[in-house]
Amino acid sequence: MTKPHDTAFSSFLKDFAENVGKFHKAANVLAGIRNEDIDVGATPKTLVLRRDKVELFRYEPTAEHTVGTPVLIIYGLIGRYTIADLQSDRSLVRGLLAAGIDLWLIDWGRPGRGERWLTMDDYVDDYIHEAVQRICRATGHDKVTLLGICEGGVFTTCYAALHPEKVKNLVLTVTPIDFHADIDDPSADHGLLNIWTRSLAPEDIDRMVDTLGVIPGEFMGSIFSLMTPMRSLTKYNVDLIDTVGDKDKLMKFLRMEKWLADRPDHPGAAGRQWLKELYQENRLVEGRFALSGRIVDLRAIDVPVLNIFALGDHIIPPTCSKALGGKIGSTDYTEVPLLVGHVGLFVSSKSPGKLTKIIAEWLQARDG
Protein backbone atom coordinates (compact mmCIF):
# COMPACT_ATOMS: atom_id res chain seq x y z
CA MET A 1 0.00 0.00 0.00
CA THR A 2 1.28 3.45 -0.92
CA LYS A 3 1.98 5.58 2.11
CA PRO A 4 0.87 9.23 2.22
CA HIS A 5 4.43 10.50 2.55
CA ASP A 6 5.44 8.52 -0.55
CA THR A 7 2.66 10.19 -2.54
CA ALA A 8 3.70 13.62 -1.27
CA PHE A 9 7.34 12.97 -2.15
CA SER A 10 6.42 11.77 -5.63
CA SER A 11 4.38 14.92 -6.14
CA PHE A 12 7.34 17.01 -4.97
CA LEU A 13 9.69 15.25 -7.42
CA LYS A 14 7.25 15.82 -10.27
CA ASP A 15 6.88 19.55 -9.46
CA PHE A 16 10.64 19.87 -9.05
CA ALA A 17 11.30 18.29 -12.43
CA GLU A 18 8.76 20.57 -14.10
CA ASN A 19 10.32 23.64 -12.51
CA VAL A 20 13.82 22.57 -13.54
CA GLY A 21 12.52 22.24 -17.10
CA LYS A 22 11.02 25.73 -16.89
CA PHE A 23 14.31 27.16 -15.58
CA HIS A 24 16.23 25.59 -18.49
CA LYS A 25 13.71 26.99 -20.95
CA ALA A 26 13.88 30.43 -19.33
CA ALA A 27 17.68 30.39 -19.45
CA ASN A 28 17.67 29.49 -23.14
CA VAL A 29 15.14 32.20 -23.98
CA LEU A 30 16.94 34.90 -21.98
CA ALA A 31 20.28 33.96 -23.51
CA GLY A 32 18.94 35.03 -26.90
CA ILE A 33 17.78 38.48 -25.77
CA ARG A 34 20.19 41.43 -26.00
CA ASN A 35 20.06 44.64 -24.03
CA GLU A 36 19.22 46.63 -27.16
CA ASP A 37 16.20 44.38 -27.72
CA ILE A 38 14.68 45.70 -24.49
CA ASP A 39 13.97 49.16 -25.84
CA VAL A 40 12.48 51.63 -23.36
CA GLY A 41 11.86 55.29 -24.09
CA ALA A 42 12.12 54.52 -27.78
CA THR A 43 9.59 57.00 -29.20
CA PRO A 44 11.47 59.24 -31.71
CA LYS A 45 12.42 62.67 -30.41
CA THR A 46 14.80 65.47 -31.29
CA LEU A 47 17.32 67.09 -28.97
CA VAL A 48 16.58 70.82 -28.79
CA LEU A 49 18.70 72.03 -25.88
CA ARG A 50 21.45 70.64 -23.68
CA ARG A 51 22.71 72.34 -20.56
CA ASP A 52 25.03 70.54 -18.16
CA LYS A 53 23.53 67.03 -17.99
CA VAL A 54 19.97 68.24 -18.61
CA GLU A 55 18.43 67.81 -22.06
CA LEU A 56 15.25 69.16 -23.62
CA PHE A 57 13.62 67.03 -26.33
CA ARG A 58 10.72 67.54 -28.72
CA TYR A 59 8.85 64.40 -29.76
CA GLU A 60 8.24 63.87 -33.44
CA PRO A 61 4.50 64.36 -34.18
CA THR A 62 2.44 61.38 -35.27
CA ALA A 63 -0.88 63.19 -35.80
CA GLU A 64 -2.21 66.63 -36.63
CA HIS A 65 -2.20 68.83 -33.54
CA THR A 66 -5.55 69.09 -31.77
CA VAL A 67 -4.18 71.17 -28.88
CA GLY A 68 -2.44 74.45 -29.54
CA THR A 69 -0.27 74.88 -26.46
CA PRO A 70 2.84 72.69 -26.24
CA VAL A 71 2.98 70.21 -23.35
CA LEU A 72 6.19 69.68 -21.37
CA ILE A 73 6.61 66.38 -19.49
CA ILE A 74 8.65 66.64 -16.30
CA TYR A 75 9.59 63.50 -14.39
CA GLY A 76 11.34 63.44 -11.04
CA LEU A 77 14.99 62.91 -10.15
CA ILE A 78 14.31 59.63 -8.33
CA GLY A 79 13.75 57.56 -11.47
CA ARG A 80 13.76 57.84 -15.24
CA TYR A 81 11.11 59.34 -17.51
CA THR A 82 11.06 56.11 -19.55
CA ILE A 83 8.23 54.72 -17.38
CA ALA A 84 5.97 57.04 -19.43
CA ASP A 85 7.27 55.44 -22.63
CA LEU A 86 7.91 51.84 -21.62
CA GLN A 87 6.80 50.12 -24.81
CA SER A 88 4.76 50.96 -27.89
CA ASP A 89 1.41 49.65 -26.61
CA ARG A 90 1.89 50.95 -23.05
CA SER A 91 3.16 54.46 -23.56
CA LEU A 92 1.64 57.67 -22.29
CA VAL A 93 3.98 59.50 -24.67
CA ARG A 94 2.78 57.66 -27.78
CA GLY A 95 -0.84 57.99 -26.71
CA LEU A 96 -0.59 61.76 -26.31
CA LEU A 97 1.20 62.12 -29.63
CA ALA A 98 -1.53 60.10 -31.34
CA ALA A 99 -4.10 62.42 -29.73
CA GLY A 100 -2.48 65.41 -31.42
CA ILE A 101 -0.41 66.85 -28.57
CA ASP A 102 2.78 68.83 -29.26
CA LEU A 103 4.91 66.98 -26.72
CA TRP A 104 8.22 67.99 -25.13
CA LEU A 105 10.37 66.33 -22.46
CA ILE A 106 13.06 67.22 -19.96
CA ASP A 107 15.60 64.46 -19.32
CA TRP A 108 17.62 65.15 -16.17
CA GLY A 109 20.40 62.80 -17.26
CA ARG A 110 22.51 61.01 -14.67
CA PRO A 111 23.55 63.34 -11.85
CA GLY A 112 26.66 62.42 -9.88
CA ARG A 113 28.92 63.99 -7.27
CA GLY A 114 29.50 66.86 -9.65
CA GLU A 115 25.85 67.84 -9.17
CA ARG A 116 25.92 67.51 -5.40
CA TRP A 117 25.26 71.22 -4.84
CA LEU A 118 22.26 71.48 -7.17
CA THR A 119 19.09 72.37 -5.29
CA MET A 120 15.41 72.23 -6.20
CA ASP A 121 15.81 75.98 -6.75
CA ASP A 122 18.18 75.20 -9.63
CA TYR A 123 15.88 72.62 -11.18
CA VAL A 124 12.72 74.75 -10.97
CA ASP A 125 13.96 78.30 -11.49
CA ASP A 126 16.83 77.52 -13.81
CA TYR A 127 16.52 74.31 -15.84
CA ILE A 128 12.73 74.20 -16.13
CA HIS A 129 12.45 77.94 -16.67
CA GLU A 130 15.04 77.87 -19.45
CA ALA A 131 13.28 74.90 -21.08
CA VAL A 132 9.94 76.73 -20.97
CA GLN A 133 11.45 79.84 -22.52
CA ARG A 134 13.07 77.77 -25.27
CA ILE A 135 9.77 76.04 -26.06
CA CYS A 136 8.00 79.37 -26.24
CA ARG A 137 10.58 80.75 -28.66
CA ALA A 138 10.41 77.63 -30.83
CA THR A 139 6.61 77.48 -31.01
CA GLY A 140 5.59 81.13 -30.85
CA HIS A 141 3.47 80.53 -27.75
CA ASP A 142 3.89 82.61 -24.61
CA LYS A 143 2.82 79.78 -22.29
CA VAL A 144 3.17 76.00 -21.98
CA THR A 145 1.20 73.23 -20.33
CA LEU A 146 3.17 71.36 -17.68
CA LEU A 147 2.67 67.63 -17.15
CA GLY A 148 4.37 66.56 -13.93
CA ILE A 149 4.91 63.01 -12.74
CA CYS A 150 5.61 62.14 -9.08
CA GLU A 151 8.50 64.31 -7.83
CA GLY A 152 8.36 66.06 -11.17
CA GLY A 153 4.81 67.04 -10.28
CA VAL A 154 6.14 68.87 -7.24
CA PHE A 155 8.61 70.69 -9.49
CA THR A 156 5.84 71.71 -11.89
CA THR A 157 3.56 72.78 -9.05
CA CYS A 158 6.29 75.00 -7.66
CA TYR A 159 6.99 76.42 -11.12
CA ALA A 160 3.31 77.17 -11.73
CA ALA A 161 3.13 79.02 -8.42
CA LEU A 162 6.31 81.02 -9.00
CA HIS A 163 5.90 81.65 -12.76
CA PRO A 164 2.13 81.74 -13.40
CA GLU A 165 2.65 83.97 -16.46
CA LYS A 166 4.35 81.07 -18.28
CA VAL A 167 1.82 78.30 -17.53
CA LYS A 168 -1.36 77.67 -19.53
CA ASN A 169 -2.48 74.45 -17.78
CA LEU A 170 -1.11 72.19 -15.07
CA VAL A 171 -1.49 68.40 -15.24
CA LEU A 172 -0.29 66.35 -12.27
CA THR A 173 -0.02 62.58 -11.93
CA VAL A 174 0.72 60.74 -8.64
CA THR A 175 2.08 63.96 -7.13
CA PRO A 176 2.53 64.47 -3.37
CA ILE A 177 1.41 67.86 -2.08
CA ASP A 178 0.60 67.29 1.61
CA PHE A 179 3.37 64.95 2.75
CA HIS A 180 1.65 64.32 6.09
CA ALA A 181 -1.88 63.65 4.84
CA ASP A 182 -1.28 59.90 5.17
CA ILE A 183 -1.11 60.19 8.96
CA ASP A 184 -4.91 60.04 9.11
CA ASP A 185 -5.23 57.66 6.14
CA PRO A 186 -7.15 54.53 7.25
CA SER A 187 -5.05 52.40 4.86
CA ALA A 188 -1.76 52.15 6.71
CA ASP A 189 0.01 50.47 3.79
CA HIS A 190 -0.45 53.62 1.70
CA GLY A 191 2.05 55.59 3.74
CA LEU A 192 4.95 53.21 4.40
CA LEU A 193 7.44 55.38 2.52
CA ASN A 194 6.21 58.50 4.31
CA ILE A 195 6.45 56.81 7.71
CA TRP A 196 9.98 55.58 7.01
CA THR A 197 11.15 58.97 5.71
CA ARG A 198 9.70 60.84 8.67
CA SER A 199 11.47 58.42 11.02
CA LEU A 200 14.91 59.30 9.65
CA ALA A 201 17.03 61.44 11.94
CA PRO A 202 17.71 64.76 10.16
CA GLU A 203 21.38 64.48 11.05
CA ASP A 204 21.57 61.07 9.33
CA ILE A 205 20.23 62.62 6.13
CA ASP A 206 22.92 65.29 6.42
CA ARG A 207 25.63 62.66 6.98
CA MET A 208 24.61 60.72 3.88
CA VAL A 209 24.48 63.80 1.66
CA ASP A 210 27.69 65.31 3.06
CA THR A 211 29.58 62.03 2.70
CA LEU A 212 28.32 60.77 -0.66
CA GLY A 213 27.21 63.99 -2.33
CA VAL A 214 24.13 62.16 -3.60
CA ILE A 215 21.32 59.89 -2.47
CA PRO A 216 22.43 56.73 -4.29
CA GLY A 217 19.96 55.30 -6.79
CA GLU A 218 20.71 51.79 -5.49
CA PHE A 219 19.74 52.91 -2.00
CA MET A 220 16.36 54.25 -3.10
CA GLY A 221 15.81 51.16 -5.24
CA SER A 222 16.33 48.92 -2.22
CA ILE A 223 13.86 50.98 -0.19
CA PHE A 224 11.17 50.59 -2.84
CA SER A 225 11.85 46.84 -3.03
CA LEU A 226 11.47 46.49 0.73
CA MET A 227 8.06 48.13 0.56
CA THR A 228 6.74 45.09 -1.37
CA PRO A 229 8.92 42.26 0.01
CA MET A 230 6.94 39.28 -1.29
CA ARG A 231 6.75 40.76 -4.76
CA SER A 232 10.51 41.35 -4.70
CA LEU A 233 11.19 37.79 -3.51
CA THR A 234 9.03 35.99 -6.06
CA LYS A 235 9.33 37.96 -9.28
CA TYR A 236 12.48 36.19 -10.49
CA ASN A 237 11.64 32.64 -9.44
CA VAL A 238 7.87 32.68 -10.03
CA ASP A 239 6.76 35.54 -12.25
CA LEU A 240 9.66 35.28 -14.69
CA ILE A 241 9.30 31.51 -15.08
CA ASP A 242 5.56 31.80 -15.62
CA THR A 243 5.96 34.43 -18.34
CA VAL A 244 8.86 32.94 -20.28
CA GLY A 245 6.50 31.09 -22.64
CA ASP A 246 4.75 34.32 -23.65
CA LYS A 247 7.15 36.62 -25.47
CA ASP A 248 4.97 39.73 -25.08
CA LYS A 249 4.67 39.23 -21.32
CA LEU A 250 8.36 38.41 -21.05
CA MET A 251 9.43 41.58 -22.87
CA LYS A 252 7.15 43.69 -20.70
CA PHE A 253 8.67 42.04 -17.61
CA LEU A 254 12.20 42.74 -18.83
CA ARG A 255 11.40 46.34 -19.75
CA MET A 256 9.99 46.93 -16.28
CA GLU A 257 13.13 45.43 -14.74
CA LYS A 258 15.30 47.60 -16.97
CA TRP A 259 13.43 50.70 -15.82
CA LEU A 260 13.67 49.66 -12.16
CA ALA A 261 17.41 49.04 -12.45
CA ASP A 262 17.99 52.33 -14.24
CA ARG A 263 17.69 54.52 -11.15
CA PRO A 264 20.10 57.47 -11.18
CA ASP A 265 21.60 59.07 -8.11
CA HIS A 266 19.64 61.99 -6.66
CA PRO A 267 21.64 65.25 -6.32
CA GLY A 268 22.51 65.72 -2.66
CA ALA A 269 21.35 69.27 -1.95
CA ALA A 270 18.03 68.76 -3.75
CA GLY A 271 17.63 65.44 -1.92
CA ARG A 272 18.16 67.15 1.40
CA GLN A 273 15.33 69.56 0.60
CA TRP A 274 13.12 66.72 -0.65
CA LEU A 275 13.53 64.59 2.47
CA LYS A 276 13.79 67.21 5.18
CA GLU A 277 11.80 70.25 4.06
CA LEU A 278 9.00 68.35 2.30
CA TYR A 279 8.70 64.81 3.67
CA GLN A 280 9.65 65.65 7.24
CA GLU A 281 8.66 69.30 7.70
CA ASN A 282 5.78 69.42 5.16
CA ARG A 283 6.62 72.98 4.18
CA LEU A 284 4.92 73.03 0.76
CA VAL A 285 1.32 72.61 1.87
CA GLU A 286 1.92 74.78 4.93
CA GLY A 287 3.14 77.70 2.82
CA ARG A 288 6.68 77.64 4.20
CA PHE A 289 8.60 76.17 1.26
CA ALA A 290 10.89 78.67 -0.43
CA LEU A 291 12.80 78.48 -3.72
CA SER A 292 15.23 81.18 -4.82
CA GLY A 293 14.20 83.30 -1.85
CA ARG A 294 10.47 83.21 -2.70
CA ILE A 295 7.73 81.33 -0.86
CA VAL A 296 5.88 78.83 -3.05
CA ASP A 297 2.30 80.03 -2.55
CA LEU A 298 -0.10 77.42 -3.92
CA ARG A 299 -2.85 80.03 -4.02
CA ALA A 300 -0.95 81.72 -6.85
CA ILE A 301 -1.86 78.80 -9.12
CA ASP A 302 -4.94 80.12 -10.92
CA VAL A 303 -4.69 78.11 -14.16
CA PRO A 304 -6.78 75.01 -14.99
CA VAL A 305 -5.46 72.02 -13.02
CA LEU A 306 -5.95 68.30 -13.68
CA ASN A 307 -4.90 66.15 -10.73
CA ILE A 308 -4.73 62.38 -11.38
CA PHE A 309 -3.78 59.95 -8.63
CA ALA A 310 -3.80 56.20 -8.03
CA LEU A 311 -6.08 54.72 -5.38
CA GLY A 312 -3.77 51.72 -4.94
CA ASP A 313 -0.62 53.83 -4.63
CA HIS A 314 1.72 52.56 -1.90
CA ILE A 315 4.37 55.20 -2.65
CA ILE A 316 2.31 58.41 -2.89
CA PRO A 317 -0.85 57.94 -0.81
CA PRO A 318 -3.97 59.30 -2.55
CA THR A 319 -4.66 61.63 0.36
CA CYS A 320 -1.30 63.32 -0.20
CA SER A 321 -2.31 64.18 -3.76
CA LYS A 322 -5.94 65.09 -3.05
CA ALA A 323 -4.80 67.85 -0.71
CA LEU A 324 -4.00 70.10 -3.67
CA GLY A 325 -7.64 70.89 -4.43
CA GLY A 326 -8.25 73.00 -1.35
CA LYS A 327 -4.99 74.92 -1.58
CA ILE A 328 -4.82 76.46 -5.07
CA GLY A 329 -6.39 79.64 -6.35
CA SER A 330 -7.88 78.14 -9.51
CA THR A 331 -11.62 77.48 -9.79
CA ASP A 332 -11.02 75.12 -12.73
CA TYR A 333 -9.83 72.07 -10.82
CA THR A 334 -10.43 68.47 -11.92
CA GLU A 335 -9.60 65.49 -9.75
CA VAL A 336 -9.45 61.96 -11.21
CA PRO A 337 -8.79 58.90 -9.03
CA LEU A 338 -7.90 55.69 -10.87
CA LEU A 339 -8.00 52.18 -9.42
CA VAL A 340 -4.36 51.29 -10.10
CA GLY A 341 -1.00 51.48 -8.36
CA HIS A 342 1.77 54.06 -8.58
CA VAL A 343 3.57 52.44 -11.51
CA GLY A 344 0.44 50.74 -12.84
CA LEU A 345 -0.95 54.16 -13.73
CA PHE A 346 1.49 54.15 -16.65
CA VAL A 347 2.04 50.48 -17.50
CA SER A 348 -1.08 48.58 -16.48
CA SER A 349 -2.78 46.83 -19.38
CA LYS A 350 -5.86 48.98 -18.76
CA SER A 351 -4.40 52.26 -17.58
CA PRO A 352 -2.29 53.86 -20.37
CA GLY A 353 -5.20 54.22 -22.81
CA LYS A 354 -7.47 55.54 -20.07
CA LEU A 355 -4.82 57.94 -18.77
CA THR A 356 -4.12 59.25 -22.26
CA LYS A 357 -7.82 59.74 -22.98
CA ILE A 358 -8.40 61.66 -19.74
CA ILE A 359 -5.46 64.01 -20.30
CA ALA A 360 -6.08 64.55 -24.02
CA GLU A 361 -9.80 65.26 -23.67
CA TRP A 362 -9.20 67.57 -20.72
CA LEU A 363 -6.63 69.57 -22.69
CA GLN A 364 -8.75 69.66 -25.85
CA ALA A 365 -11.68 71.05 -23.89
CA ARG A 366 -9.54 73.95 -22.67
CA ASP A 367 -7.07 74.46 -25.47
CA GLY A 368 -8.43 72.78 -28.59
Side-chain angles (χ1 to χ4, degrees):
M1 184 175 68
T2 303
K3 296 180 180 180
H5 64 81
D6 291 334
T7 302
F9 185 64
S10 296
S11 178
F12 164 77
L13 288 177
K14 180 181 178 181
D15 291 342
F16 180 77
E18 289 179 355
N19 286 330
V20 168
K22 289 181 179 179
F23 274 108
H24 278 299
K25 181 179 180 182
N28 290 332
V29 171
L30 293 172
I33 298 176
R34 302 166 300 171
N35 180 55
E36 52 266 32
D37 296 328
I38 312 169
D39 52 343
V40 297
T43 301
K45 55 186 180 294
T46 301
L47 178 64
V48 175
L49 171 70
R50 179 185 289 118
R51 181 162 177 218
D52 304 325
K53 292 182 179 179
V54 179
E55 296 178 323
L56 173 67
F57 291 92
R58 187 178 195 176
Y59 282 101
E60 296 180 12
T62 61
E64 183 178 351
H65 288 163
T66 61
V67 173
T69 305
V71 175
L72 175 61
I73 296 178
I74 299 177
Y75 197 72
L77 295 164
I78 294 173
R80 295 277 291 161
Y81 73 89
T82 49
I83 192 62
D85 189 25
L86 195 70
Q87 61 187 48
S88 60
D89 61 338
R90 298 186 185 190
S91 170
L92 173 64
V93 167
R94 291 182 185 242
L96 292 176
L97 288 172
I101 309 296
D102 180 12
L103 206 57
W104 298 67
L105 167 79
I106 290 180
D107 181 358
W108 302 122
R110 302 182 184 282
R113 286 180 61 85
E115 287 71 44
R116 64 184 302 166
W117 306 117
L118 288 178
T119 63
M120 289 179 64
D121 314 49
D122 296 309
Y123 283 98
V124 172
D125 276 331
D126 191 347
Y127 292 125
I128 293 179
H129 190 53
E130 183 170 356
V132 169
Q133 291 179 310
R134 184 58 178 269
I135 293 170
C136 289
R137 289 198 299 270
T139 62
H141 289 269
D142 58 357
K143 297 182 179 183
V144 303
T145 289
L146 299 178
L147 197 170
I149 302 173
C150 196
E151 182 186 21
V154 176
F155 290 177
T156 59
T157 299
C158 292
Y159 186 85
L162 295 174
H163 301 274
E165 75 285 354
K166 303 302 295 183
V167 180
K168 174 73 172 180
N169 305 290
L170 178 62
V171 179
L172 301 177
T173 59
V174 289
T175 297
I177 298 296
D178 184 345
F179 289 76
H180 291 182
D182 63 287
I183 293 175
D184 297 322
D185 193 321
S187 300
D189 62 305
H190 281 169
L192 293 178
L193 180 62
N194 295 33
I195 293 170
W196 174 79
T197 307
R198 288 194 294 265
S199 72
L200 295 174
E203 56 270 23
D204 286 340
I205 297 174
D206 291 332
R207 289 190 188 100
M208 175 172 59
V209 171
D210 293 340
T211 302
L212 302 176
V214 298
I215 300 176
E218 296 88 347
F219 173 69
M220 290 308 303
S222 66
I223 295 302
F224 291 131
S225 294
L226 289 172
M227 293 175 64
T228 54
M230 291 307 297
R231 167 68 176 164
S232 300
L233 285 171
T234 61
K235 64 180 179 178
Y236 295 126
N237 56 18
V238 176
D239 295 352
L240 177 58
I241 302 304
D242 288 343
T243 61
V244 74
D246 186 323
K247 186 173 181 181
D248 289 340
K249 289 183 178 180
L250 175 62
M251 295 307 292
K252 181 200 170 189
F253 178 91
L254 294 176
R255 289 187 180 103
M256 269 301 307
E257 291 306 302
K258 186 173 185 177
W259 175 74
L260 288 169
D262 186 18
R263 193 173 295 281
D265 296 334
H266 195 296
R272 198 193 312 262
Q273 290 171 289
W274 181 249
L275 295 177
K276 294 176 67 174
E277 297 185 18
L278 296 180
Y279 265 97
Q280 293 192 335
E281 300 172 16
N282 205 24
R283 293 189 184 186
L284 179 60
V285 78
E286 294 179 1
R288 298 186 295 114
F289 188 56
L291 294 178
S292 304
R294 296 182 293 166
I295 291 292
V296 178
D297 184 1
L298 297 179
R299 292 172 299 181
I301 300 176
D302 61 356
V303 300
V305 176
L306 173 62
N307 186 14
I308 304 172
F309 50 88
L311 293 174
D313 199 330
H314 68 287
I315 295 176
I316 306 298
T319 50
C320 295
S321 299
K322 285 172 62 69
L324 178 69
K327 299 295 182 178
I328 60 176
S330 175
T331 56
D332 186 352
Y333 173 76
T334 306
E335 195 173 274
V336 180
L338 293 177
L339 194 57
V340 290
H342 186 81
V343 175
L345 184 68
F346 304 97
V347 300
S348 165
S349 59
K350 299 178 181 178
S351 184
K354 183 182 295 185
L355 181 62
T356 297
K357 187 172 185 291
I358 291 169
I359 294 174
E361 290 183 353
W362 186 87
L363 288 174
Q364 289 162 359
R366 287 156 182 79
D367 197 20

